[in-house]
Amino acid sequence: KVPLIVRTPEMAGSAAAGTRSEQMVEWFDIGPTLVELAGGAMEPRNAPQYAKSLTATLRNPSTTHRAEAVSELHGETLIQTQEWKMALNKDGVPYLLYNVKSDPQEMDNRISDPACASVIAELQGRLLKRLAACPNYLIGKPV
């Protein structure tokens, strides 16, 4: 829930001005957004870009941007959806799981809750799918 504030001349007088969106965004998305706002287009290098321009969401804040967001810091990885947030340590082992809808303050770590085993498996699967889509990076280690 780190805020991202964007203002463009085009937005200043539009219906989207002053609106708030709860869409999932990754900091990588800023590059393609700035390129598109400047009238350019992203050219895939050796692999497809996973970063996505936010311009459609800027024009219509209810437009879905991402189903989940992934981030990494010091080899630890986090995946978050609108409902769940899970963190994995450097060895890829999940150690934090929060239902961000029912526990927005993240006070109840549900990683050991047997009722959440399917959620953990689903999030791990989504993360693996994402990593497979971005073959230039493994968890915390550029290839």
Side-chain angles (χ1 to χ4, degrees), residues 10-104:
E10 176 187 271
M11 289 176 52
S14 75
T19 60
R20 179 180 175 177
S21 174
E22 296 290 330
Q23 296 300 315
M24 307 300 289
V25 174
E26 296 178 0
W27 72 271
F28 290 111
D29 297 335
I30 301 303
T33 303
L34 294 175
V35 169
E36 188 172 336
L37 288 172
M42 293 294 291
E43 295 293 329
R45 290 173 283 181
N46 297 333
Q49 293 285 323
Y50 197 79
K52 298 166 56 175
S53 174
L54 293 162
T55 55
T57 303
L58 293 175
R59 291 184 182 108
N60 179 359
S62 65
T63 301
T64 300
H65 181 67
R66 292 185 175 278
E68 72 268 331
V70 175
S71 61
E72 181 272 333
L73 181 64
H74 303 299
E76 295 195 358
T77 307
L78 182 132
I79 182 168
Q80 182 171 343
T81 66
Q82 293 290 344
E83 187 173 2
W84 295 97
K85 179 189 285 187
M86 183 176 74
L88 291 78
N89 65 21
K90 293 178 183 181
D91 297 319
V93 178
Y95 70 95
L96 294 174
L97 178 68
Y98 297 107
N99 184 318
V100 294
K101 275 197 166 190
S102 65
D103 179 21

